Amino acid sequence: MNDPRARKLAEARQRNAHEAISYIPAWDDLTDKEREQSISEAAKWLRAAIEAGIAPLAERPTDKHDAILLDNYGQIWGEYQTSPSSHGDAILRLVWASEQCSSKQEIEAEGVEFRLIGWSE
C-alpha cells in the first residue's frame, strides 16, 4: 500500500509521542530506517482502519465513485464529474439544503451504516 496518509499518520504519532515524552526524538531527528519502520507500521494501522470501514480508500474504487472531501475548516465538498473528465479537479461545496430531516436511528435500523468523515462548522 502506497498511501500518503500513512506518512502523515506516522509523523503525527511521532509528534504526539515527542510532545508527551521529550526524550523521544522528533520526526526530523529519526534515521531513514526509523522513518521507514514508522511509516510501515502506520500503513498497517491505516489498512486496518480501511478494512474496518472507518477510513476510505485512498484511490477511487471505480470511475462511478465521486470523492467526498472535508476541508480543514469543516466544509464538505463533492467531486463534480464533467465531460470531458476533469480528473477530480471540479468540486462543489455541499450545503444543507433540505428542510426536512430524517431519523438517523430509523435509517440505521434499516441496515444503513454511517461513517463519520469529519466535523462541519
Side-chain angles (χ1 to χ4, degrees):
M1 173 189 282
N2 191 14
D3 189 333
R5 297 175 298 175
R7 181 183 170 114
K8 287 186 174 191
L9 185 60
E11 288 177 357
R13 187 242 170 257
Q14 189 69 27
R15 184 174 49 254
N16 292 344
H18 178 70
E19 288 173 0
I21 304 171
S22 62
Y23 62 83
I24 293 178
W27 180 261
D28 292 337
D29 297 333
L30 295 175
T31 65
D32 287 343
K33 183 177 180 181
E34 290 171 325
R35 287 183 192 167
E36 288 172 17
Q37 287 175 320
S38 186
I39 292 171
S40 175
E41 186 66 24
K44 292 174 188 171
W45 278 103
L46 188 54
R47 179 178 173 196
I50 291 167
E51 290 174 2
I54 60 173
L57 293 168
E59 286 115 21
R60 183 185 315 276
T62 71
D63 289 343
K64 295 181 179 182
H65 284 81
D66 295 324
I68 299 169
L69 309 164
L70 183 70
D71 69 22
N72 56 329
Y73 298 105
Q75 302 300 318
I76 302 170
W77 300 79
E79 280 184 334
Y80 181 75
Q81 295 298 325
T82 60
S83 182
S85 175
S86 64
H87 303 289
D89 188 50
I91 61 173
L92 292 170
R93 181 162 170 238
L94 304 179
V95 295
W96 312 120
S98 177
E99 293 179 12
Q100 178 181 351
C101 66
S102 301
S103 166
K104 182 178 175 224
Q105 290 178 353
E106 288 177 10
I107 294 171
E108 288 173 328
E110 294 172 5
V112 174
E113 293 183 23
F114 291 99
R115 180 183 308 147
L116 178 64
I117 60 170
W119 300 99
S120 180
E121 293 180 39

mmCIF file of all heavy atoms in Angstrom, residues 23-41:
data_model
loop_
_atom_site.group_PDB
_atom_site.id
_atom_site.type_symbol
_atom_site.label_atom_id
_atom_site.label_comp_id
_atom_site.label_asym_id
_atom_site.label_seq_id
_atom_site.Cartn_x
_atom_site.Cartn_y
_atom_site.Cartn_z
ATOM 1 N N TYR A 23 12.252 12.977 25.506
ATOM 2 C CA TYR A 23 13.439 12.264 25.034
ATOM 3 C C TYR A 23 13.156 11.376 23.812
ATOM 4 O O TYR A 23 14.068 10.818 23.226
ATOM 5 C CB TYR A 23 14.092 11.436 26.155
ATOM 6 C CG TYR A 23 13.240 10.333 26.738
ATOM 7 C CD1 TYR A 23 13.138 9.092 26.124
ATOM 8 C CD2 TYR A 23 12.542 10.541 27.922
ATOM 9 C CE1 TYR A 23 12.355 8.094 26.658
ATOM 10 C CE2 TYR A 23 11.758 9.538 28.467
ATOM 11 C CZ TYR A 23 11.664 8.311 27.834
ATOM 12 O OH TYR A 23 10.891 7.327 28.368
ATOM 13 N N ILE A 24 11.891 11.254 23.412
ATOM 14 C CA ILE A 24 11.569 10.575 22.156
ATOM 15 C C ILE A 24 11.868 11.579 21.043
ATOM 16 O O ILE A 24 11.408 12.717 21.084
ATOM 17 C CB ILE A 24 10.095 10.126 22.119
ATOM 18 C CG1 ILE A 24 9.870 9.040 23.169
ATOM 19 C CG2 ILE A 24 9.711 9.651 20.727
ATOM 20 C CD1 ILE A 24 8.438 8.562 23.255
ATOM 21 N N PRO A 25 12.661 11.163 20.043
ATOM 22 C CA PRO A 25 13.077 12.111 19.003
ATOM 23 C C PRO A 25 11.916 12.609 18.143
ATOM 24 O O PRO A 25 10.940 11.883 17.922
ATOM 25 C CB PRO A 25 14.067 11.310 18.158
ATOM 26 C CG PRO A 25 13.757 9.881 18.431
ATOM 27 C CD PRO A 25 13.194 9.827 19.817
ATOM 28 N N ALA A 26 12.050 13.831 17.671
ATOM 29 C CA ALA A 26 11.088 14.397 16.735
ATOM 30 C C ALA A 26 11.242 13.677 15.399
ATOM 31 O O ALA A 26 12.260 13.034 15.132
ATOM 32 C CB ALA A 26 11.329 15.892 16.569
ATOM 33 N N TRP A 27 10.251 13.783 14.522
ATOM 34 C CA TRP A 27 10.275 13.113 13.229
ATOM 35 C C TRP A 27 11.552 13.433 12.453
ATOM 36 O O TRP A 27 12.192 12.550 11.887
ATOM 37 C CB TRP A 27 9.033 13.489 12.416
ATOM 38 C CG TRP A 27 8.983 12.835 11.072
ATOM 39 C CD1 TRP A 27 9.332 13.382 9.877
ATOM 40 C CD2 TRP A 27 8.566 11.494 10.788
ATOM 41 N NE1 TRP A 27 9.157 12.469 8.870
ATOM 42 C CE2 TRP A 27 8.692 11.298 9.406
ATOM 43 C CE3 TRP A 27 8.105 10.445 11.569
ATOM 44 C CZ2 TRP A 27 8.362 10.104 8.786
ATOM 45 C CZ3 TRP A 27 7.773 9.248 10.950
ATOM 46 C CH2 TRP A 27 7.907 9.092 9.568
ATOM 47 N N ASP A 28 11.913 14.704 12.406
ATOM 48 C CA ASP A 28 13.100 15.121 11.642
ATOM 49 C C ASP A 28 14.389 14.547 12.213
ATOM 50 O O ASP A 28 15.408 14.529 11.519
ATOM 51 C CB ASP A 28 13.185 16.650 11.577
ATOM 52 C CG ASP A 28 12.067 17.240 10.738
ATOM 53 O OD1 ASP A 28 11.506 16.520 9.880
ATOM 54 O OD2 ASP A 28 11.753 18.431 10.937
ATOM 55 N N ASP A 29 14.384 14.111 13.470
ATOM 56 C CA ASP A 29 15.584 13.553 14.095
ATOM 57 C C ASP A 29 15.689 12.035 13.943
ATOM 58 O O ASP A 29 16.678 11.441 14.369
ATOM 59 C CB ASP A 29 15.625 13.928 15.578
ATOM 60 C CG ASP A 29 15.731 15.434 15.788
ATOM 61 O OD1 ASP A 29 16.281 16.122 14.895
ATOM 62 O OD2 ASP A 29 15.247 15.914 16.827
ATOM 63 N N LEU A 30 14.683 11.404 13.353
ATOM 64 C CA LEU A 30 14.728 9.965 13.139
ATOM 65 C C LEU A 30 15.637 9.631 11.958
ATOM 66 O O LEU A 30 15.774 10.417 11.023
ATOM 67 C CB LEU A 30 13.327 9.408 12.837
ATOM 68 C CG LEU A 30 12.279 9.498 13.938
ATOM 69 C CD1 LEU A 30 10.930 9.000 13.413
ATOM 70 C CD2 LEU A 30 12.705 8.706 15.156
ATOM 71 N N THR A 31 16.232 8.440 11.982
ATOM 72 C CA THR A 31 17.012 7.979 10.842
ATOM 73 C C THR A 31 16.046 7.576 9.732
ATOM 74 O O THR A 31 14.844 7.380 9.970
ATOM 75 C CB THR A 31 17.877 6.761 11.212
ATOM 76 O OG1 THR A 31 17.010 5.659 11.527
ATOM 77 C CG2 THR A 31 18.790 7.068 12.388
ATOM 78 N N ASP A 32 16.550 7.436 8.518
ATOM 79 C CA ASP A 32 15.704 6.996 7.404
ATOM 80 C C ASP A 32 15.081 5.642 7.712
ATOM 81 O O ASP A 32 13.904 5.410 7.414
ATOM 82 C CB ASP A 32 16.511 6.921 6.106
ATOM 83 C CG ASP A 32 16.853 8.296 5.549
ATOM 84 O OD1 ASP A 32 16.213 9.285 5.959
ATOM 85 O OD2 ASP A 32 17.748 8.362 4.692
ATOM 86 N N LYS A 33 15.838 4.738 8.325
ATOM 87 C CA LYS A 33 15.338 3.408 8.658
ATOM 88 C C LYS A 33 14.202 3.506 9.685
ATOM 89 O O LYS A 33 13.186 2.825 9.561
ATOM 90 C CB LYS A 33 16.456 2.526 9.194
ATOM 91 C CG LYS A 33 16.009 1.110 9.479
ATOM 92 C CD LYS A 33 17.153 0.230 9.944
ATOM 93 C CE LYS A 33 16.640 -1.173 10.217
ATOM 94 N NZ LYS A 33 17.676 -2.073 10.684
ATOM 95 N N GLU A 34 14.367 4.365 10.694
ATOM 96 C CA GLU A 34 13.320 4.540 11.710
ATOM 97 C C GLU A 34 12.050 5.127 11.082
ATOM 98 O O GLU A 34 10.939 4.719 11.426
ATOM 99 C CB GLU A 34 13.813 5.441 12.837
ATOM 100 C CG GLU A 34 14.869 4.794 13.707
ATOM 101 C CD GLU A 34 15.512 5.769 14.682
ATOM 102 O OE1 GLU A 34 15.690 6.960 14.323
ATOM 103 O OE2 GLU A 34 15.827 5.336 15.794
ATOM 104 N N ARG A 35 12.216 6.062 10.156
ATOM 105 C CA ARG A 35 11.056 6.636 9.466
ATOM 106 C C ARG A 35 10.343 5.575 8.642
ATOM 107 O O ARG A 35 9.117 5.493 8.651
ATOM 108 C CB ARG A 35 11.478 7.792 8.565
ATOM 109 C CG ARG A 35 11.861 9.036 9.306
ATOM 110 C CD ARG A 35 12.185 10.141 8.354
ATOM 111 N NE ARG A 35 12.819 11.226 9.062
ATOM 112 C CZ ARG A 35 13.429 12.227 8.478
ATOM 113 N NH1 ARG A 35 13.494 12.284 7.169
ATOM 114 N NH2 ARG A 35 13.983 13.184 9.194
ATOM 115 N N GLU A 36 11.105 4.759 7.896
ATOM 116 C CA GLU A 36 10.515 3.709 7.081
ATOM 117 C C GLU A 36 9.751 2.715 7.954
ATOM 118 O O GLU A 36 8.652 2.289 7.591
ATOM 119 C CB GLU A 36 11.598 2.983 6.282
ATOM 120 C CG GLU A 36 12.175 3.813 5.156
ATOM 121 C CD GLU A 36 13.382 3.147 4.497
ATOM 122 O OE1 GLU A 36 13.581 1.928 4.671
ATOM 123 O OE2 GLU A 36 14.130 3.864 3.813
ATOM 124 N N GLN A 37 10.310 2.357 9.098
ATOM 125 C CA GLN A 37 9.633 1.434 10.010
ATOM 126 C C GLN A 37 8.338 2.052 10.538
ATOM 127 O O GLN A 37 7.310 1.381 10.633
ATOM 128 C CB GLN A 37 10.546 1.066 11.180
ATOM 129 C CG GLN A 37 11.672 0.140 10.805
ATOM 130 C CD GLN A 37 12.625 -0.107 11.964
ATOM 131 O OE1 GLN A 37 12.949 0.809 12.728
ATOM 132 N NE2 GLN A 37 13.083 -1.344 12.090
ATOM 133 N N SER A 38 8.398 3.317 10.886
ATOM 134 C CA SER A 38 7.215 4.001 11.406
ATOM 135 C C SER A 38 6.128 4.107 10.341
ATOM 136 O O SER A 38 4.944 3.882 10.620
ATOM 137 C CB SER A 38 7.618 5.394 11.914
ATOM 138 O OG SER A 38 6.538 6.030 12.534
ATOM 139 N N ILE A 39 6.520 4.420 9.112
ATOM 140 C CA ILE A 39 5.553 4.516 8.014
ATOM 141 C C ILE A 39 4.951 3.144 7.725
ATOM 142 O O ILE A 39 3.739 3.018 7.490
ATOM 143 C CB ILE A 39 6.200 5.119 6.753
ATOM 144 C CG1 ILE A 39 6.538 6.598 7.004
ATOM 145 C CG2 ILE A 39 5.288 4.975 5.540
ATOM 146 C CD1 ILE A 39 7.374 7.243 5.914
ATOM 147 N N SER A 40 5.772 2.093 7.779
ATOM 148 C CA SER A 40 5.273 0.737 7.561
ATOM 149 C C SER A 40 4.233 0.365 8.616
ATOM 150 O O SER A 40 3.180 -0.207 8.298
ATOM 151 C CB SER A 40 6.437 -0.258 7.589
ATOM 152 O OG SER A 40 5.962 -1.570 7.487
ATOM 153 N N GLU A 41 4.516 0.691 9.865
ATOM 154 C CA GLU A 41 3.569 0.405 10.945
ATOM 155 C C GLU A 41 2.283 1.216 10.761
ATOM 156 O O GLU A 41 1.171 0.706 10.928
ATOM 157 C CB GLU A 41 4.206 0.714 12.297
ATOM 158 C CG GLU A 41 3.367 0.316 13.482
ATOM 159 C CD GLU A 41 3.163 -1.184 13.622
ATOM 160 O OE1 GLU A 41 3.982 -1.964 13.129
ATOM 161 O OE2 GLU A 41 2.144 -1.572 14.230
#
